[in-house]
Amino acid sequence: MAWIRRVRTASGATAVQIAESVNGRRRIVAHVGSAHTEAELGLLVERARELLEDTKQGEFNLGLEPAAPRTALIGQPGTPALFDEPDPARRERGLVTPPRVVGTSSRVLYDALTAVFTDLGFDTLGDAVFRDLVIARIVEPTSILDTARVLTDLGVRPASEKTMRRTLARAVAGEGPGAYRDEVAALCFTHAATNGDVSLCLYDVTTLYFEAEKEDDLRKVGYSKERRVDPQIVVGLLVDRHGFPLEIGCYEGNKAETATIVPIVKQFQDRHNVEDMVVVADAGMLSAANLTALEEANLRFIVGSRVTKAPLDLASHFRWHGDAFTDGEVIDTITPRTGRHRSENNEALRAEPVWDREQHPGSWRALWAYSTKRAARDTKTLTLQENRARAVIAGEKAARTPRFVKAKGDGQALDEAALARARRLVGLKGYVTNIPGQLMPAGEVIGSYHELWHVEQSFRMSKTDLAARPMFVRTREAIEAHLTIVFTALAVSREVQRRSGLAIRNVIRQLRPLRSATITANGATQTIPPQIDADRQAIIDALTTRNLRH
């Protein structure tokens, strides 16, 4: 007959073993492990019990070697532990039951994320189900049907599916006190303004596609960077200079990306009564209508410029200095506001004009920076494009007409002039702004633009870590509710990363394995916290200690 025995080792640990009696002699069948805490002990005993059941070695008994009494990990020092050694008389009468693990959970992780959620002020919504949906989205993004499993694993009793769906309905963006998006956006702004800086905001757009056959009023086929032909929506995101989310908007899938920035920025401006701020966006937002609208809203902007505008903007520079540049060289000049405006840059003058709103009403300020590293990268790209073009012309490769291929009679030829123009501009990067040089030097303008990686990172987090896509919903209300959950989860995730200095996935990987064990024995039930090493405790302390930004 086999049984489980517990032995106190010389190091003070408790060894859990499986033993059996053979011809009156005791033999150790297996050493399950050594425990240093009550939780570890309970888990090892449970593991030993499972081994006994799996091998069908006999009825489960707990044979325990005498050991000194131990104190509980929870409660006042000196109180009896859940598994204190029972007296021999109780054991002989069969009144002792073995420790049994009835459940484990990652409650430590849940409590840490809840602390950040609360510190951001989101608890003022007064909706525990919404909070749990946000935390579940951060830990393991999944469908509503599967969210209950995630919450149970986190040690939380989940609400019913119907309650979760009613919560999503309350979270739908719109007017009124039930519009969670508005309240969350206001709390995000307060947090960013109090602990950071909202004088400069970053904007970008992305698309989220649906595996649907038919379009509707919102989900439409449009331009996709992934070259998909599925119905999609366009999502615009405004963040502060560190990537903390401030505003999110959802648009029809066929809406031009350039037509999204002004509504989002105006919504943000009206919501928070912001009068003076700088908006930074990439070259995709460069349109005369956008820049004029931002100017009329008394907003300052920094947007990327397309390299095709360089020959006109730098015409005088090319005339007087040629096309040679030095690494890090910056040319501060002007660019026409629209194609209908004539260039106000006089090529006959050697010095570049200093942009002034009054003196150059038909122009914006433009900066062009040269980098040898960028030049090497651009040159490599152009060479690959040239080789591809030559291969297509020679009939070696069948493909859509690539760059630098032009029609010539009945055939095709290399566009030598276009290739030469492109090679002349390698290494250049342009920026357009309405901020005068005396207010923001060229280096600061360029540096501000390069902060755009923060909003790009936030989008990557939304699409990967938070799985904004795929969406298992189809109505506009459900889509908006889903984006509200993702927006809130992004705010919590960004704050987690700032406090811990680690990527959100890294934090989840480190803290989720810390399992609290609920153990029963002798009619008593107790939850034992995990043993936490110093490194993970430092992460927990960073998240749970109120830690304001910057």
Side-chain angles (χ1 to χ4, degrees), residues 86-132:
D87 62 81
R90 284 177 55 81
R91 187 190 304 123
E92 290 175 2
R93 295 197 303 271
L95 299 178
V96 177
T97 59
R100 181 178 178 84
V101 177
V102 296
T104 64
S105 66
S106 298
R107 185 74 193 199
V108 171
L109 172 60
Y110 176 85
D111 290 341
L113 295 177
T114 299
V116 177
F117 183 94
T118 301
D119 283 353
L120 291 173
F122 298 153
D123 59 322
T124 58
L125 293 170
D127 193 330
V129 178
F130 178 79
R131 175 200 62 206
D132 289 350

Side-chain angles (χ1 to χ4, degrees), residues 351-371:
E352 295 290 342
V354 177
W355 180 75
D356 181 271
R357 185 177 277 101
E358 301 299 328
Q359 295 181 20
H360 308 103
S363 302
W364 300 117
R365 181 185 178 196
L367 298 107
W368 288 90
Y370 179 84
S371 163

